[in-house]
Amino acid sequence: MFDFIKYWKIYAAVSATVILLGLFSIWKWGYVYSIDFVGGTNLEYQFNPGVTKQQVEEVLEQSDVEIVTLEQRTDNTFFIRLSAIDEQKEDSLRQVLQNSLESEITVIRTETVGPTIGAETLRKTAIAAGIAVVGILLYIAWAFRNVNFALAAITALLHDVLVVVGTYSIISHFFGAELDTLFVTALLTTMSFSVHDTIVVFDQIREYRKKHGVGHIEEFANKALTDTMVRSLNNSFTIMFMLLALVLLGGVTVRYFAVALLIGTITGTYSSPFVATPVAVWLEKRRLSK
């Protein structure tokens, strides 16, 4: 049996470093928000024959539109983000580009979202996350008849949320990843995955306490982690390999969604043995010492 709990200070130092770096990034750089949150129009055009980014940029600058982003996705495909425009304006802009550049445009994607919908998305996301946290807290407290286990699981969950949002801010700054509704989906999935592994460990601790009494919580925690570690890693690796394939081969649309899920899976796998369990042991030892 390996003494996992003995090295809790190392785990705390690793977690604090990652979280503080992420919080610094959020404070310093924030995020690149998608139109899901700030509103706007996304256009993806394919030009035939191909044109250069500079040519497209020059025509757009002469048009009565506000350019937010212009990216060349392939040799003849461009992604354009503008402040919100209606369908008529988009049709007019496309005609101007075709005539000015003498190139036929095939529309790959057009989408327009107003800022009101973005605010509504944020509000619903906060409500969904709050309901999830309260539900998990109540369920674990009821399932294990122990509030300390529930508090430890929520601590690990908040740890995972902070790691994902902080790390994504760094990726957003250096690689241009957008914070969109897919990121919200990845964050909520991370919350569920975090608790999933934690419950497996806690359930094993509960079995040992039923057989041998409640007094040796640290020893039971080390036994439970030793019993479940290999299975937990094997389960997580199967998910990580699939997500890594999506990151490398999945294309631009889902790449950063897969990256957020991959970060969530890694931190969820880490937090169950190295955050939730040490916190549960500490809380139980405090309770039993009173």
Side-chain angles (χ1 to χ4, degrees):
M1 178 181 70
F2 187 78
D3 191 354
F4 289 95
I5 303 300
K6 178 181 177 183
Y7 301 101
W8 68 270
K9 290 182 180 176
I10 296 175
Y11 315 145
V14 170
S15 296
T17 302
V18 174
I19 289 172
L20 287 175
L21 284 174
L23 292 177
F24 172 79
S25 177
I26 293 170
W27 169 75
K28 183 73 175 176
W29 301 306
Y31 296 95
V32 176
Y33 291 97
S34 78
I35 64 170
D36 298 343
F37 291 95
V38 296
T41 296
N42 283 344
L43 306 173
E44 193 165 357
Y45 290 159
Q46 185 178 57
F47 292 79
N48 187 21
V51 296
T52 66
K53 182 179 178 181
Q54 185 180 359
Q55 287 176 304
V56 177
E57 195 169 15
E58 286 174 357
V59 175
L60 290 175
E61 285 175 350
Q62 293 168 9
S63 305
D64 185 23
V65 292
E66 183 182 342
I67 309 169
V68 178
T69 304
L70 172 60
E71 296 175 16
Q72 187 165 3
R73 292 277 169 89
T74 64
D75 287 344
N76 55 357
T77 303
F78 290 83
F79 171 78
I80 306 165
R81 178 187 290 178
L82 308 169
S83 56
I85 60 174
D86 58 24
E87 190 175 341
Q88 188 177 4
K89 182 72 178 175
E90 187 274 327
D91 185 60
S92 172
L93 179 64
R94 184 157 26 101
Q95 292 300 325
V96 169
L97 283 167
Q98 286 188 138
N99 295 335
S100 301
L101 301 176
E102 298 180 345
S103 179
E104 191 69 26
I105 290 178
T106 300
V107 179
I108 298 176
R109 174 167 58 136
T110 65
E111 56 182 355
T112 298
V113 176
T116 305
I117 295 176
E120 182 71 8
T121 303
L122 276 176
R123 190 179 68 82
K124 288 183 176 177
T125 300
I127 293 172
I131 291 172
V133 169
V134 173
I136 290 168
L137 183 66
L138 293 175
Y139 172 72
I140 295 179
W142 171 79
F144 289 91
R145 306 294 191 271
N146 191 315
V147 176
N148 287 339
F149 282 6
L151 291 175
I154 294 300
T155 301
L157 185 149
L158 294 176
H159 165 278
D160 295 343
V161 168
L162 287 173
V163 169
V164 173
V165 298
T167 308
Y168 200 79
S169 172
I170 296 172
I171 295 171
S172 184
H173 175 70
F174 287 104
F175 299 99
E178 293 184 346
L179 195 149
D180 54 13
T181 50
L182 283 177
F183 172 77
V184 174
T185 305
L187 190 62
L188 294 175
T189 306
T190 297
M191 292 169 70
S192 67
F193 185 79
S194 167
V195 177
H196 174 266
D197 256 11
T198 302
I199 286 178
V200 172
V201 178
F202 286 178
D203 192 52
Q204 195 72 6
I205 294 174
R206 181 174 59 177
E207 291 302 313
Y208 282 126
R209 298 183 93 175
K210 281 182 180 176
K211 292 179 182 175
H212 307 291
V214 298
H216 305 285
I217 180 65
E218 192 164 335
E219 179 185 347
F220 298 156
N222 282 322
K223 282 185 177 179
L225 290 174
T226 304
D227 291 345
T228 60
M229 184 64 72
V230 173
R231 182 177 58 177
S232 177
L233 287 175
N234 286 338
N235 287 338
S236 298
F237 279 136
T238 58
I239 302 171
M240 288 179 201
F241 289 142
M242 182 272 291
L243 291 173
L244 197 58
L246 271 179
V247 171
L248 297 175
L249 307 171
V252 176
T253 309
V254 298
R255 176 168 298 151
Y256 290 113
F257 169 64
V259 168
L261 277 177
L262 184 60
I263 296 168
T265 303
I266 293 171
T267 188
T269 304
Y270 166 85
S271 69
S272 295
F274 303 130
V275 177
T277 307
V279 170
V281 169
W282 177 69
L283 290 172
E284 279 297 277
K285 288 173 78 173
R286 276 174 57 89
R287 183 176 71 86
L288 295 172
S289 66
K290 290 180 181 176

